[in-house]
Amino acid sequence: MSDAIIQSELLDHKANHEQKLCQILTVQELSVLNDRSNSKGLVQLAFHLTIMGCSGYLWATNFGNWSVAIPALLIYGFSLASMFASMHECVHRTAFANNRLNDSVAWFSGLLSFYNSTFFRRYHKWHHRYTRVPNKDPELTDLKPSNLGKYLLIISGLPWWWGKISGHFQVATGQFDDFPFVSEAARAEVIRSTRWQLSIYAGAIVLSIAFNQPWFFLYWLLPLLVGQPILRFILLAEHTGCTLDANLLTNTRTTLTLWPVRFFMWNMPFHAEHHLYASIPFHALPKAHQLLSKHFTHIEPGYLKVNWDIITNS
Protein backbone atom coordinates (compact mmCIF):
# COMPACT_ATOMS: atom_id res chain seq x y z
CA MET A 1 0.00 0.00 0.00
CA SER A 2 1.43 3.39 -0.99
CA ASP A 3 2.27 6.12 1.53
CA ALA A 4 -0.33 8.39 -0.10
CA ILE A 5 -3.10 5.82 0.43
CA ILE A 6 -2.03 5.20 4.02
CA GLN A 7 -1.99 8.94 4.70
CA SER A 8 -5.43 9.35 3.12
CA GLU A 9 -6.84 6.55 5.28
CA LEU A 10 -5.28 8.14 8.37
CA LEU A 11 -6.95 11.45 7.63
CA ASP A 12 -10.31 9.79 6.91
CA HIS A 13 -10.03 7.92 10.20
CA LYS A 14 -9.24 11.17 12.01
CA ALA A 15 -12.24 12.92 10.45
CA ASN A 16 -14.59 10.06 11.39
CA HIS A 17 -13.15 9.86 14.88
CA GLU A 18 -13.51 13.60 15.46
CA GLN A 19 -17.12 13.45 14.28
CA LYS A 20 -17.85 10.82 16.95
CA LEU A 21 -15.97 12.78 19.60
CA CYS A 22 -18.03 15.87 18.92
CA GLN A 23 -21.03 13.94 20.23
CA ILE A 24 -19.62 13.86 23.79
CA LEU A 25 -21.06 17.29 24.58
CA THR A 26 -24.60 18.12 23.64
CA VAL A 27 -25.30 20.99 21.28
CA GLN A 28 -26.70 23.00 24.19
CA GLU A 29 -23.67 22.35 26.43
CA LEU A 30 -21.25 23.32 23.69
CA SER A 31 -23.26 26.43 22.83
CA VAL A 32 -22.99 27.64 26.44
CA LEU A 33 -19.27 26.87 26.67
CA ASN A 34 -18.54 28.52 23.31
CA ASP A 35 -19.80 31.91 24.47
CA ARG A 36 -16.99 34.41 23.87
CA SER A 37 -16.62 37.56 25.98
CA ASN A 38 -14.78 40.83 25.37
CA SER A 39 -14.99 41.74 29.05
CA LYS A 40 -13.51 38.47 30.35
CA GLY A 41 -10.74 38.63 27.78
CA LEU A 42 -9.90 42.25 28.61
CA VAL A 43 -9.86 41.58 32.35
CA GLN A 44 -7.52 38.62 31.85
CA LEU A 45 -5.24 40.67 29.57
CA ALA A 46 -5.26 43.66 31.93
CA PHE A 47 -4.22 41.57 34.93
CA HIS A 48 -1.53 39.80 32.92
CA LEU A 49 -0.06 43.10 31.71
CA THR A 50 -0.36 44.65 35.19
CA ILE A 51 1.68 41.85 36.75
CA MET A 52 4.17 42.14 33.93
CA GLY A 53 4.47 45.90 34.46
CA CYS A 54 4.79 45.71 38.25
CA SER A 55 7.35 42.91 38.21
CA GLY A 56 9.26 44.66 35.44
CA TYR A 57 9.33 47.85 37.51
CA LEU A 58 10.65 45.98 40.54
CA TRP A 59 13.30 44.34 38.37
CA ALA A 60 14.36 47.69 36.90
CA THR A 61 14.52 49.57 40.20
CA ASN A 62 16.20 47.00 42.47
CA PHE A 63 19.53 46.23 40.88
CA GLY A 64 21.83 45.23 43.73
CA ASN A 65 18.93 44.29 45.99
CA TRP A 66 18.87 40.77 44.60
CA SER A 67 16.37 39.38 47.12
CA VAL A 68 13.80 41.54 45.32
CA ALA A 69 15.33 41.77 41.85
CA ILE A 70 15.71 38.03 41.18
CA PRO A 71 12.12 37.02 42.09
CA ALA A 72 10.89 40.06 40.15
CA LEU A 73 12.94 38.99 37.12
CA LEU A 74 11.52 35.46 37.30
CA ILE A 75 7.95 36.74 37.42
CA TYR A 76 8.58 39.37 34.76
CA GLY A 77 10.34 36.89 32.50
CA PHE A 78 7.60 34.30 32.75
CA SER A 79 4.82 36.87 32.32
CA LEU A 80 6.61 38.02 29.16
CA ALA A 81 7.18 34.50 27.80
CA SER A 82 3.62 33.44 28.66
CA MET A 83 2.21 36.14 26.41
CA PHE A 84 2.51 33.19 24.05
CA ALA A 85 -0.65 31.88 25.75
CA SER A 86 -2.45 35.14 25.09
CA MET A 87 -1.40 34.98 21.44
CA HIS A 88 -2.46 31.35 21.21
CA GLU A 89 -5.94 32.11 22.54
CA CYS A 90 -6.34 35.10 20.23
CA VAL A 91 -5.12 33.13 17.20
CA HIS A 92 -8.08 30.81 17.84
CA ARG A 93 -10.18 34.00 18.02
CA THR A 94 -11.74 32.84 21.27
CA ALA A 95 -10.17 35.32 23.71
CA PHE A 96 -12.62 38.06 22.70
CA ALA A 97 -15.96 38.24 20.94
CA ASN A 98 -14.52 40.86 18.57
CA ASN A 99 -12.25 39.33 15.92
CA ARG A 100 -10.39 42.57 15.23
CA LEU A 101 -9.52 42.72 18.91
CA ASN A 102 -8.41 39.08 18.79
CA ASP A 103 -6.11 39.76 15.85
CA SER A 104 -4.63 42.95 17.34
CA VAL A 105 -3.91 41.40 20.74
CA ALA A 106 -2.51 38.29 19.05
CA TRP A 107 0.02 40.38 17.12
CA PHE A 108 0.98 42.44 20.18
CA SER A 109 1.34 39.30 22.30
CA GLY A 110 3.51 37.69 19.65
CA LEU A 111 5.69 40.78 19.53
CA LEU A 112 6.34 40.53 23.28
CA SER A 113 6.93 36.77 23.26
CA PHE A 114 9.00 36.61 20.01
CA TYR A 115 6.33 34.77 18.05
CA ASN A 116 4.63 36.10 14.96
CA SER A 117 0.89 35.60 15.22
CA THR A 118 0.26 35.83 11.46
CA PHE A 119 2.65 32.94 10.84
CA PHE A 120 1.60 31.05 13.98
CA ARG A 121 -2.08 31.06 12.96
CA ARG A 122 -1.22 28.93 9.90
CA TYR A 123 1.22 26.71 11.80
CA HIS A 124 -1.20 26.12 14.63
CA LYS A 125 -4.12 25.39 12.32
CA TRP A 126 -2.17 22.41 10.95
CA HIS A 127 -1.21 21.34 14.46
CA HIS A 128 -4.91 21.10 15.34
CA ARG A 129 -5.94 19.57 12.05
CA TYR A 130 -3.25 16.88 12.18
CA THR A 131 -2.55 16.60 15.93
CA ARG A 132 0.12 13.92 16.49
CA VAL A 133 -0.23 12.56 12.93
CA PRO A 134 3.32 11.70 11.76
CA ASN A 135 4.59 13.70 8.77
CA LYS A 136 1.65 16.09 9.11
CA ASP A 137 1.69 17.74 12.54
CA PRO A 138 4.38 20.48 12.34
CA GLU A 139 5.04 20.19 16.09
CA LEU A 140 6.42 16.70 15.52
CA THR A 141 9.47 18.23 13.81
CA ASP A 142 10.61 19.70 17.15
CA LEU A 143 13.50 18.10 19.05
CA LYS A 144 12.30 15.17 21.19
CA PRO A 145 13.45 14.64 24.82
CA SER A 146 14.71 11.14 24.05
CA ASN A 147 17.46 11.34 26.68
CA LEU A 148 18.41 13.58 29.61
CA GLY A 149 20.78 15.70 27.54
CA LYS A 150 18.13 16.47 24.92
CA TYR A 151 15.57 17.12 27.65
CA LEU A 152 17.83 19.70 29.30
CA LEU A 153 18.61 21.26 25.93
CA ILE A 154 14.89 21.65 25.19
CA ILE A 155 14.19 23.10 28.64
CA SER A 156 17.02 25.63 28.20
CA GLY A 157 15.06 27.19 25.34
CA LEU A 158 18.10 27.26 23.04
CA PRO A 159 16.48 25.18 20.25
CA TRP A 160 13.43 27.43 20.50
CA TRP A 161 15.56 30.58 20.14
CA TRP A 162 17.38 29.14 17.13
CA GLY A 163 14.10 28.06 15.56
CA LYS A 164 12.54 31.48 16.03
CA ILE A 165 15.54 33.44 14.77
CA SER A 166 16.06 31.25 11.70
CA GLY A 167 12.31 30.96 11.09
CA HIS A 168 11.69 34.71 11.23
CA PHE A 169 14.62 35.25 8.85
CA GLN A 170 13.33 32.66 6.40
CA VAL A 171 9.84 34.15 6.39
CA ALA A 172 11.08 37.75 6.13
CA THR A 173 13.14 36.79 3.07
CA GLY A 174 10.29 34.83 1.46
CA GLN A 175 11.68 31.33 2.01
CA PHE A 176 8.72 29.01 2.63
CA ASP A 177 10.09 25.60 1.64
CA ASP A 178 10.06 24.47 5.29
CA PHE A 179 6.57 25.84 5.94
CA PRO A 180 4.02 23.96 3.77
CA PHE A 181 1.22 25.11 6.09
CA VAL A 182 1.55 28.69 4.77
CA SER A 183 -0.42 28.83 1.54
CA GLU A 184 0.80 30.90 -1.40
CA ALA A 185 -2.18 33.21 -0.94
CA ALA A 186 -1.14 33.96 2.67
CA ARG A 187 2.57 34.42 2.08
CA ALA A 188 2.54 38.15 1.35
CA GLU A 189 0.62 38.86 4.56
CA VAL A 190 2.93 36.64 6.64
CA ILE A 191 6.04 38.25 5.14
CA ARG A 192 4.71 41.76 5.77
CA SER A 193 3.74 40.97 9.36
CA THR A 194 7.12 39.39 10.15
CA ARG A 195 9.05 42.26 8.62
CA TRP A 196 7.09 44.80 10.67
CA GLN A 197 7.81 42.83 13.82
CA LEU A 198 11.53 42.54 13.11
CA SER A 199 11.60 46.27 12.34
CA ILE A 200 10.27 47.03 15.82
CA TYR A 201 12.99 44.89 17.41
CA ALA A 202 15.59 46.64 15.26
CA GLY A 203 14.22 50.03 16.31
CA ALA A 204 14.42 49.06 19.99
CA ILE A 205 18.05 47.99 19.53
CA VAL A 206 18.88 51.26 17.76
CA LEU A 207 17.33 53.29 20.59
CA SER A 208 19.32 51.32 23.17
CA ILE A 209 22.54 52.00 21.28
CA ALA A 210 21.70 55.66 20.63
CA PHE A 211 21.12 56.34 24.33
CA ASN A 212 23.97 54.04 25.38
CA GLN A 213 21.58 52.07 27.58
CA PRO A 214 21.10 48.27 27.73
CA TRP A 215 17.32 48.61 27.56
CA PHE A 216 16.72 46.00 24.88
CA PHE A 217 18.83 43.43 26.73
CA LEU A 218 17.70 44.16 30.30
CA TYR A 219 13.98 44.62 29.73
CA TRP A 220 13.22 42.22 26.89
CA LEU A 221 15.99 39.80 25.87
CA LEU A 222 17.26 38.80 29.33
CA PRO A 223 13.77 38.40 30.88
CA LEU A 224 12.65 36.31 27.92
CA LEU A 225 15.79 34.17 28.26
CA VAL A 226 14.80 33.62 31.90
CA GLY A 227 11.12 33.01 31.18
CA GLN A 228 11.50 30.60 28.28
CA PRO A 229 12.71 27.59 30.33
CA ILE A 230 9.61 27.88 32.53
CA LEU A 231 7.41 28.00 29.43
CA ARG A 232 9.25 25.02 27.87
CA PHE A 233 8.73 23.08 31.12
CA ILE A 234 4.98 23.66 30.77
CA LEU A 235 4.56 23.19 27.01
CA LEU A 236 6.56 19.96 26.97
CA ALA A 237 3.74 18.36 28.96
CA GLU A 238 1.05 18.97 26.34
CA HIS A 239 1.74 15.99 24.07
CA THR A 240 5.03 14.33 25.07
CA GLY A 241 4.48 10.66 25.84
CA CYS A 242 0.95 10.68 24.44
CA THR A 243 -0.16 8.51 21.53
CA LEU A 244 1.11 9.18 18.02
CA ASP A 245 -2.25 8.97 16.33
CA ALA A 246 -5.37 11.02 15.64
CA ASN A 247 -7.20 10.01 18.83
CA LEU A 248 -7.88 13.29 20.65
CA LEU A 249 -8.73 11.41 23.84
CA THR A 250 -5.25 9.90 24.07
CA ASN A 251 -2.86 12.17 22.13
CA THR A 252 -3.06 15.24 24.38
CA ARG A 253 -2.52 15.77 28.10
CA THR A 254 -4.31 17.94 30.63
CA THR A 255 -2.16 18.94 33.60
CA LEU A 256 -3.80 19.97 36.86
CA THR A 257 -1.72 22.78 38.31
CA LEU A 258 -1.69 25.81 40.57
CA TRP A 259 -3.93 28.79 39.87
CA PRO A 260 -1.05 31.22 39.08
CA VAL A 261 0.17 28.89 36.32
CA ARG A 262 -3.35 28.53 34.91
CA PHE A 263 -3.69 32.31 35.02
CA PHE A 264 -0.47 33.12 33.15
CA MET A 265 -1.15 30.32 30.67
CA TRP A 266 -4.75 31.43 30.01
CA ASN A 267 -6.02 27.99 31.15
CA MET A 268 -3.94 26.18 28.51
CA PRO A 269 -3.10 23.43 31.04
CA PHE A 270 -6.61 22.15 30.21
CA HIS A 271 -5.06 21.13 26.94
CA ALA A 272 -6.93 17.94 26.14
CA GLU A 273 -10.22 19.84 26.50
CA HIS A 274 -8.87 22.57 24.23
CA HIS A 275 -7.85 20.13 21.50
CA LEU A 276 -11.11 18.25 21.62
CA TYR A 277 -13.17 21.47 21.39
CA ALA A 278 -10.91 24.28 20.15
CA SER A 279 -13.90 26.63 19.93
CA ILE A 280 -14.21 26.84 23.74
CA PRO A 281 -12.66 30.08 25.09
CA PHE A 282 -10.07 30.06 27.87
CA HIS A 283 -12.47 31.15 30.62
CA ALA A 284 -14.81 28.17 29.98
CA LEU A 285 -12.11 25.46 29.94
CA PRO A 286 -12.38 24.68 33.71
CA LYS A 287 -16.09 23.99 33.21
CA ALA A 288 -15.32 21.92 30.12
CA HIS A 289 -12.85 19.92 32.20
CA GLN A 290 -15.61 18.98 34.65
CA LEU A 291 -17.72 17.65 31.78
CA LEU A 292 -14.98 15.93 29.79
CA SER A 293 -12.22 14.77 32.15
CA LYS A 294 -13.50 11.19 32.50
CA HIS A 295 -12.99 10.66 28.76
CA PHE A 296 -9.26 11.48 28.66
CA THR A 297 -6.38 9.06 29.12
CA HIS A 298 -3.77 11.63 30.19
CA ILE A 299 -4.69 13.81 33.16
CA GLU A 300 -1.72 14.46 35.45
CA PRO A 301 -1.54 16.08 38.92
CA GLY A 302 1.23 18.56 38.09
CA TYR A 303 4.09 19.59 35.83
CA LEU A 304 6.76 18.19 38.14
CA LYS A 305 5.15 14.77 37.80
CA VAL A 306 4.90 15.02 34.00
CA ASN A 307 8.47 16.20 33.52
CA TRP A 308 9.82 13.57 35.91
CA ASP A 309 8.01 10.91 33.89
CA ILE A 310 9.46 12.35 30.66
CA ILE A 311 12.98 12.18 32.13
CA THR A 312 12.64 8.68 33.55
CA ASN A 313 11.03 7.29 30.38
CA SER A 314 13.53 8.89 27.97
Side-chain angles (χ1 to χ4, degrees):
M1 187 180 293
S2 71
D3 289 344
I5 294 174
I6 292 172
Q7 194 62 250
S8 177
E9 289 184 352
L10 266 176
L11 298 180
D12 287 343
H13 172 72
K14 178 179 172 68
N16 292 333
H17 186 68
E18 286 182 339
Q19 187 175 9
K20 292 178 182 178
L21 291 178
C22 287
Q23 298 171 4
I24 293 177
L25 294 179
T26 67
V27 172
Q28 183 178 4
E29 286 172 330
L30 188 57
S31 177
V32 172
L33 291 171
N34 278 346
D35 187 39
R36 298 182 301 166
S37 169
N38 285 335
S39 60
K40 290 179 181 177
L42 287 170
V43 167
Q44 171 76 16
L45 180 64
F47 273 106
H48 194 140
L49 293 177
T50 297
I51 294 172
M52 184 190 302
C54 291
S55 58
Y57 175 79
L58 289 173
W59 158 242
T61 57
N62 281 278
F63 292 136
N65 183 8
W66 301 117
S67 62
V68 175
I70 296 302
L73 175 61
L74 287 171
I75 295 171
Y76 178 49
F78 181 53
S79 65
L80 196 62
S82 62
M83 286 302 288
F84 161 77
S86 168
M87 181 200 67
H88 166 269
E89 186 72 16
C90 290
V91 158
H92 279 284
R93 290 178 171 154
T94 51
F96 307 99
N98 183 289
N99 281 341
R100 183 171 295 182
L101 186 56
N102 277 313
D103 293 347
S104 298
V105 173
W107 199 88
F108 172 72
S109 300
L111 175 70
L112 291 179
S113 57
F114 202 39
Y115 285 83
N116 179 268
S117 66
T118 316
F119 173 88
F120 185 79
R121 177 173 289 116
R122 278 77 186 179
Y123 169 94
H124 199 61
K125 183 177 181 180
W126 268 40
H127 169 58
H128 271 266
R129 180 180 293 173
Y130 305 116
T131 304
R132 302 289 283 174
V133 176
N135 301 317
K136 280 290 187 179
D137 183 352
E139 280 199 5
L140 291 178
T141 62
D142 293 343
L143 181 65
K144 306 298 184 297
S146 55
N147 55 54
L148 180 59
K150 289 182 179 179
Y151 170 83
L152 293 174
L153 181 60
I154 292 167
I155 291 297
S156 74
L158 292 176
W160 177 85
W161 280 102
W162 173 249
K164 284 290 164 284
I165 292 169
S166 60
H168 289 334
F169 175 79
Q170 285 177 273
V171 170
T173 55
Q175 302 175 55
F176 286 93
D177 291 346
D178 295 334
F179 311 125
F181 42 82
V182 180
S183 68
E184 288 191 19
R187 289 180 181 180
E189 180 187 4
V190 174
I191 290 171
R192 183 169 56 252
S193 175
T194 303
R195 287 177 177 174
W196 270 111
Q197 186 166 338
L198 294 179
S199 296
I200 291 174
Y201 297 143
I205 293 171
V206 168
L207 282 175
S208 293
I209 294 172
F211 286 92
N212 196 29
Q213 296 289 336
W215 294 329
F216 183 79
F217 175 77
L218 285 179
Y219 305 128
W220 186 74
L221 185 57
L222 176 61
L224 201 53
L225 283 166
V226 170
Q228 265 303 316
I230 306 173
L231 184 62
R232 294 301 108 197
F233 186 79
I234 292 170
L235 296 185
L236 199 55
E238 292 179 347
H239 300 285
T240 306
C242 299
T243 57
L244 273 172
D245 56 33
N247 188 342
L248 294 172
L249 300 181
T250 63
N251 67 16
T252 305
R253 176 182 290 106
T254 279
T255 306
L256 306 179
T257 186
L258 301 173
W259 177 84
V261 177
R262 295 201 308 271
F263 167 77
F264 279 115
M265 293 304 297
W266 289 57
N267 278 331
M268 277 180 61
F270 295 112
H271 209 62
E273 293 81 0
H274 165 69
H275 264 267
L276 187 57
Y277 291 103
S279 60
I280 297 176
F282 72 97
H283 55 81
L285 285 174
K287 177 62 175 177
H289 173 72
Q290 295 175 15
L291 298 172
L292 296 168
S293 60
K294 64 182 179 181
H295 298 282
F296 298 125
T297 299
H298 298 286
I299 297 182
E300 297 293 344
Y303 286 104
L304 287 173
K305 168 71 164 54
V306 177
N307 279 265
W308 178 251
D309 288 345
I310 290 172
I311 291 170
T312 55
N313 293 327
S314 62

